[in-house]
Amino acid sequence: MLTRRAQDPIDENFVRARLLAALDRRRKLIDLSRITIVRLLNSEADFVPGLVVDKYGDYLVLQSLAAGAEKFIDTALDFYEKETGCRGILIKNDAQVRKLEGLEMYSQWRGESASGPLRILSDGVHYIVDLAGGQKTGFFADQRKAYGLLEGRVNGGALLDCFSYSGAFSMNAFKYGAKSSVIVDVSKEAVELARETARLNGVYDRCEFVCANAFDYLKYESSKYKAASGNEPPFDFVVLDPPTFTKSKSHVGEALRGYKEIALRAARLVKNGGFILTCSCSFHITMTDFYDSQCAAFSDAGAVGYLAGAGFQDERDHPVISSMPESLYLKYFIFQMSK
Ligand code: SAH
């Protein structure tokens, strides 16, 4: 749905006004010279259903995810070229969801193409972003606020970064004084990106890279630190940032069991007084159910979690709007653990 007013002409001006409103919001809310990885347009939440535009320094990535959005692509390309002065825009129209409406799968550059993964400095951290080969448009820009929760809580500590992708939580942890990080992701490409990213930030030697299913890793590692074992757990801070465990209502129960399982293992692996930052990006999992699942996990682990903070996606560029419950999808809690 584009508008509630039937008389609105759906033309270039209509689309341009929406794009400009979205861009202006970001310009007002975000210091774009310091934060250089930004979602400029987030589909329905910016009133342009199906169209996503991310900015990575001087390059943009545009994704059209629905047949309706196809018609706006050219207008959007012209608009962003002019408004942002970017060097090039990758039209990354290869998401699986396009197949539902029989849309063609393709990737194509407009303007100058980036010759490989980009190196981008955003908010004091260096990132390597593979626009063409990476997951989604190359990065998960929605966790910016959660990175901030590491500040003052990881100093001198050992981090476990589960579901790491390119290691953004770890790199932010190092920025806030962490000593070391174990980086775990099931994707070989993600772990490779994390290695390169760690090198770029000068912290390679302080990282251990594990390409594994985090469920298996957590199960195996945590078995060494059951309460009765007497072994001192290794981590001061554990991050759990899994992909969505359910895209439908019917799998909520299973998903909650998944969230509980990894939190239980994390509770065994974290030191007394350490932190667990636990995230869910599944829209169908409510904040309360997610919270309850984590509390149940800690109880099973014989631990108590003191709630130390909670939050959502960075709403400055991943807007949350009252008319669309699905726009609020990412939530997280940080607990300080007492064992
Ligand atoms: N924390 C990241 C984003 C994570 S996205 C950041 O801040 O940028 C989720 C990641 O989980 C993806 O990189 C995906 O490859 C990984 N993943 C999916 N299933 C997994 C599993 N079972 N075990 C470990 N990693 C998994």
Side-chain angles (χ1 to χ4, degrees):
M1 192 180 79
L2 291 168
T3 175
R4 289 174 193 276
R5 289 184 305 238
Q7 71 274 22
D8 277 352
I10 310 300
D11 55 14
E12 263 186 43
N13 286 337
F14 176 93
V15 177
R16 232 183 270 127
R18 295 272 164 104
L19 302 179
L20 187 60
L23 187 58
D24 277 347
R25 274 186 68 77
R26 273 76 171 167
R27 282 175 171 154
K28 278 198 195 99
L29 297 172
I30 301 176
D31 174 358
L32 296 173
S33 61
R34 188 169 57 86
I35 296 177
T36 54
I37 300 181
V38 180
R39 176 151 290 192
L40 297 182
L41 188 73
N42 200 18
S43 195
E44 285 89 345
D46 282 302
F47 305 101
V48 186
L51 208 59
V52 166
V53 179
D54 286 335
K55 180 175 186 294
Y56 296 102
D58 296 333
Y59 291 91
L60 306 190
V61 181
L62 175 145
Q63 269 192 325
S64 156
L65 304 166
E70 287 303 276
K71 299 193 167 68
F72 305 151
I73 293 178
D74 288 335
T75 306
L77 292 172
D78 291 343
F79 172 85
Y80 287 110
E81 243 173 11
K82 192 166 131 273
E83 284 289 332
T84 67
C86 63
R87 290 162 74 165
I89 306 177
L90 175 64
I91 306 154
K92 196 174 179 184
N93 280 345
D94 58 2
Q96 288 300 318
V97 64
R98 288 175 61 86
K99 290 187 177 160
L100 296 177
E101 292 183 287
L103 300 173
E104 193 195 335
M105 306 287 269
Y106 68 97
S107 251
Q108 186 185 309
W109 280 94
R110 162 115 158 205
E112 190 187 310
S113 60
S115 53
L118 300 173
R119 296 169 164 222
I120 299 196
L121 176 65
S122 185
D123 209 6
V125 173
H126 294 278
Y127 296 100
I128 295 187
V129 186
D130 187 357
L131 304 188
Q135 296 185 26
K136 304 275 169 131
T137 69
F139 192 77
F140 297 88
D142 51 2
Q143 281 287 31
R144 207 181 289 119
K145 288 204 160 165
Y147 301 150
L149 289 175
L150 296 156
E151 188 171 8
R153 295 181 168 125
V154 281
N155 212 359
L159 183 83
L160 171 61
D161 182 358
C162 290
F163 309 93
S164 65
Y165 190 51
S166 62
F169 271 106
S170 298
M171 298 311 125
N172 281 278
F174 285 116
K175 171 174 135 182
Y176 295 126
K179 187 182 69 189
S180 64
S181 182
V182 176
I183 293 176
V184 184
D185 201 285
V186 76
S187 148
K188 241 179 28 202
E189 292 78 20
V191 173
E192 210 37 58
L193 265 182
R195 283 180 191 277
E196 289 301 313
T197 306
R199 254 184 221 115
L200 186 61
N201 285 282
V203 295
Y204 187 85
D205 295 342
R206 288 149 71 188
C207 298
E208 186 185 330
F209 302 90
V210 181
C211 186
N213 182 333
F215 280 83
D216 298 340
Y217 175 87
L218 286 164
K219 186 172 178 190
Y220 179 73
E221 289 299 319
S222 66
S223 68
K224 305 176 195 165
Y225 303 98
K226 289 198 174 140
S229 71
N231 294 334
E232 166 77 356
F235 297 109
D236 298 282
F237 201 114
V238 179
V239 175
L240 303 172
D241 185 23
T244 178
F245 285 159
T246 172
K247 289 190 172 156
S248 74
K249 253 194 181 136
S250 52
H251 293 106
V252 164
E254 246 165 80
L256 285 170
R257 280 192 290 282
Y259 289 118
K260 180 179 171 189
E261 179 180 330
I262 55 177
L264 188 150
R265 316 271 189 224
R268 293 210 168 113
L269 284 166
V270 77
K271 291 178 190 161
N272 181 31
F275 292 91
I276 297 178
L277 172 60
T278 175
C279 315
S280 165
C281 60
S282 311
F283 158 69
H284 295 286
I285 304 293
T286 66
M287 189 126 186
T288 322
D289 284 349
F290 182 48
Y291 180 79
D292 290 348
S293 75
Q294 305 301 282
C295 295
F298 300 155
S299 164
D300 285 6
V304 172
Y306 283 74
L307 187 63
F312 306 105
Q313 70 222 51
D314 193 332
E315 77 291 335
R316 293 173 299 175
D317 60 341
H318 292 72
V320 177
I321 55 172
S322 58
S323 54
M324 189 194 154
E326 305 91 300
S327 62
L328 183 54
Y329 63 95
L330 175 61
K331 49 254 164 199
Y332 46 78
F333 297 106
I334 179 165
F335 292 97
Q336 186 167 29
M337 301 307 294
S338 171
K339 307 168 76 171

